[in-house]
Amino acid sequence: MNWKRIVLGLFLLAGMLGVLALGLSAYVVSSTRARVLEAEAPPPEDLDCILVLGCGVRPDGSPSHMLEDRMKRAIQLYQAGWSDVLLLSGDNRKEDYNEVGVMKAYAMARGVPEEAIVLDHAGLCTYDSLYRARAIFGAERVVVITQAFHISRALYIGRSLGVEAWGVTADLRPYQHELFNRCREILARDKDALWCLVKPEPKHLGEKVPLRPAG
């Protein structure tokens, strides 16, 4: 058995997989770049909602810096008239961990009325949040709020699921572990690009919920 050839073959295979992973990630970014808007730009017409993607909450119940900045940006767009509905989507799978509850409290403390807020407690991941935005809440035209490293994946998923989505980034300060987040996002883009081919249902669906009261 020629171990040198085997090792060389494994290295070549790893290199090819690495190039494929980087190429697919780069495609996700480049194919959605035109859908990323500035907060000061004119909003797209007839948006169904401003979709805010959840992320970490601290043990004391306060939002992480990333989540706080997403909410700040969403409130800015709400006040500028982009949409009259905030759809807050996050993880509430445990009784003592409630991203959307923290997000709602943050928005209401800054003047957003409760009737303008819709909660998605089962947005366990980016794919689930975009899938449920359309399947449960009937959102077909949305602006997505998250950080720049994450926005391309969210928009790619939305387009693949039939959601006409634009994005506005919420990078209002430096964050911890930025290099780690960017590297991990490469694999996350690859994984979700494959999911978008298969289009599995999210872990939780349920009855439809209107974004606005009937009538």
Side-chain angles (χ1 to χ4, degrees):
M1 185 178 292
N2 191 326
W3 289 105
K4 288 185 178 179
R5 287 189 176 182
I6 293 175
V7 171
L8 178 60
L10 291 174
F11 272 114
L12 289 174
L13 178 61
M16 291 173 61
L17 291 174
V19 170
L20 180 62
L22 290 172
L24 182 54
S25 173
Y27 172 73
V28 170
V29 174
S30 64
S31 67
T32 57
R33 186 172 289 121
R35 308 291 287 187
V36 181
L37 307 177
E38 298 294 332
E40 296 75 22
E45 294 182 358
D46 301 323
L47 289 174
D48 293 316
C49 66
I50 298 166
L51 172 60
V52 191
L53 301 179
C55 64
V57 170
R58 297 190 181 97
D60 65 359
S62 62
S64 62
H65 286 163
M66 282 190 181
L67 185 56
E68 181 177 15
D69 289 351
R70 293 179 193 186
M71 291 306 303
K72 284 182 178 179
R73 182 69 83 201
I75 293 168
Q76 176 189 0
L77 298 188
Y78 170 81
Q79 293 173 339
W82 282 53
S83 176
D84 59 348
V85 174
L86 296 183
L87 175 55
L88 310 180
S89 181
D91 188 346
N92 185 203
R93 78 186 83 186
K94 296 180 180 179
E95 188 175 344
D96 60 348
Y97 186 80
N98 186 351
E99 291 177 359
V100 292
V102 171
M103 296 160 77
K104 177 181 178 181
Y106 188 95
M108 291 184 64
R110 286 152 185 82
V112 179
E114 186 171 15
E115 58 268 23
I117 299 172
V118 178
L119 303 183
D120 177 10
H121 294 270
L124 306 184
C125 64
T126 308
Y127 179 89
D128 286 11
S129 291
L130 270 299
Y131 194 112
R132 286 174 53 82
R134 182 173 187 187
I136 301 299
F137 299 95
E140 297 182 352
R141 292 171 59 84
V142 307
V143 60
V144 181
I145 310 299
T146 186
Q147 272 70 34
F149 75 89
H150 183 212
I151 195 75
S152 297
R153 177 160 57 104
L155 297 180
Y156 186 88
I157 293 169
R159 181 178 63 192
S160 299
L161 296 176
V163 179
E164 192 168 3
W166 292 264
V168 175
T169 59
D171 298 78
L172 305 183
R173 70 184 99 186
Y175 304 107
Q176 290 184 334
H177 314 302
E178 285 200 40
L179 179 59
F180 172 77
N181 288 333
R182 292 178 184 277
C183 291
R184 182 180 63 178
E185 188 64 18
I186 293 172
L187 297 178
R189 290 186 196 119
D190 293 342
K191 182 263 292 180
D192 279 346
L194 295 176
W195 274 34
C196 287
L197 292 175
V198 181
K199 295 182 174 59
E201 290 187 352
K203 185 174 182 180
H204 302 288
L205 277 174
E207 296 182 2
K208 294 184 182 296
V209 178
L211 289 172
R212 296 169 180 82

